């Protein structure tokens, strides 16, 4: 469900040009082209991808952990959907804890390959359960965003790349392997990496990574348009797949709906849900299954992802 969010209004464009004219910075240049408006991301489609990941876990011993048949089946399932949509996909192999791991990289043909906007999420679960919120939610949301790019035949000026990481749960191994494997100048071509790890926690919070200011502002603008307050994610540093990119000097940002920490009374007042309970009481547990999501958080965060992908790549 698409909710009103601040686009780049005509008034804002006029003010921007007026400001530049006042400083004589430009005389007759046309106003900056408006960023293409992001389409709605179908939360029903995102939930369908989660159902598919649940089915993979159900058919493979109940989890999708690094080294398991369930993880490789998850990779194969997403690759098939992306290939069918016209993405250029590649599977990057690595070894961790004596097992073969896999990253899935999907490039949308077109755009300036010297300016890459990346969106990523780890696809592996813990061995205790199917990992639907952690992190089927981020994986499914960026998958549906990518499929929407294809459906809309979106042609941004920057190049779009989507990535699903392996072995996050055993130490950010897949994303670290990807960054370490990049040639030096390829790192500098990534203009921003957006990370989505747990975005539909059942007792949801709305946390925005406070790393790169421009990326942070993009997400905060989106939520301001929904009149939903956000808080900086003050526990994320180093705790998910944006960390290797940040250490390599890539601007990073992302969204998070909370894990084992307890929601305060003030947070329950602003976001709803239950004070004194964990944002996700099934974190790293067998009960992190298809029912362990907040549909409103999933919907809002999926649309926020599209807003940022369109806004940062146009
Ligand atoms: N490490 C993630 C969960 C996690 C905990 N804190 C944050 C902050 C930002 C993103 C993710 C997380 C995991 O268990 O996969
Ligand atoms: Zn986890
Ligand atoms: Zn996670």
């Amino acid at each position: 469900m698409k909710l009103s969010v601040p686009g780049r209004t005509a008034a804002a464009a006029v003010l921007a040009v007026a400001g530049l004219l006042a400083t004589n910075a430009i005389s007759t240049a046309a106003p900056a082209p408006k960023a293409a408006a992001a389409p709605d991301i179908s939360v029903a489609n995102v939930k369908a991808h989660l159902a598919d990941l649940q089915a993979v876990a159900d058919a493979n011993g109940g989890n999708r952990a690094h080294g398991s048949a369930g993880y490789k089946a998850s990779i194969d399932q997403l690759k098939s959907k992306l290939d069918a949509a016209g993405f250029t996909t590649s599977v990057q192999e690595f070894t961790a804890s004596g097992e073969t791991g896999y990253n899935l990289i999907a490039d949308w043909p077109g755009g300036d390959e010297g300016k890459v906007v990346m969106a990523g999420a780890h696809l592996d679960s813990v061995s205790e359960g199917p990992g639907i919120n952690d992190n089927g939610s981020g994986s499914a949301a960026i998958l549906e965003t990518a499929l929407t790019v294809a459906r809309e035949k979106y042609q941004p000026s920057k190049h779009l790349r989507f990535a699903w990481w392996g072995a996050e749960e055993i130490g950010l191994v897949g994303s670290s392997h990807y960054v370490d494997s990049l040639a030096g100048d390829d790192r500098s071509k990534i203009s921003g990496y957006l990370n989505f790890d747990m975005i539909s926690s059942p007792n949801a919070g709305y946390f925005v990574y406070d790393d790169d200011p421009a990326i942070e502002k993009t997400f905060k603008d989106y939520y301001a348009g929904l009149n939903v307050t956000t808080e900086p994610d003050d526990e994320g540093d180093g705790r998910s797949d944006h960390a290797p990119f940040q250490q390599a000097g890539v601007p990073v940002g992302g969204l998070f709906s909370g894990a084992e920490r307890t929601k305060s009374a003030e947070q329950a007042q602003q976001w709803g849900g239950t004070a004194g309970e964990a944002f996700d009481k099934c974190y790293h547990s067998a009960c992190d299954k298809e029912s362990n999501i907040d549909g409103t958080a999933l919907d809002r965060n999926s649309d926020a992802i599209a807003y940022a992908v369109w806004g940062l790549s146009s």
Side-chain angles (χ1 to χ4, degrees), residues 122 126 134 168-169 197-198 283-284:
H122 76 86
V126 291
D134 183 20
E168 186 272 349
E169 296 289 8
D197 182 356
M198 300 181 74
Y283 176 59
H284 287 185

Side-chain angles (χ1 to χ4, degrees), residues 4 33 54 62 65 120 157 162 233 240 246 255 265-266 287 296:
S4 66
Q54 178 70 59
S157 61
F162 298 84
D233 166 36
S240 192
Q246 190 171 35
L255 299 172
E266 295 73 24
C287 56
T296 300

Side-chain angles (χ1 to χ4, degrees), residues 17 20-22 24-32:
V17 172
L20 290 171
L21 286 172
N24 297 321
I26 56 170
S27 53
T28 58

Side-chain angles (χ1 to χ4, degrees), residues 117-128:
V117 173
M118 276 192 84
H122 76 86
L123 184 59
D124 62 310
S125 76
V126 291
S127 54
E128 287 81 355

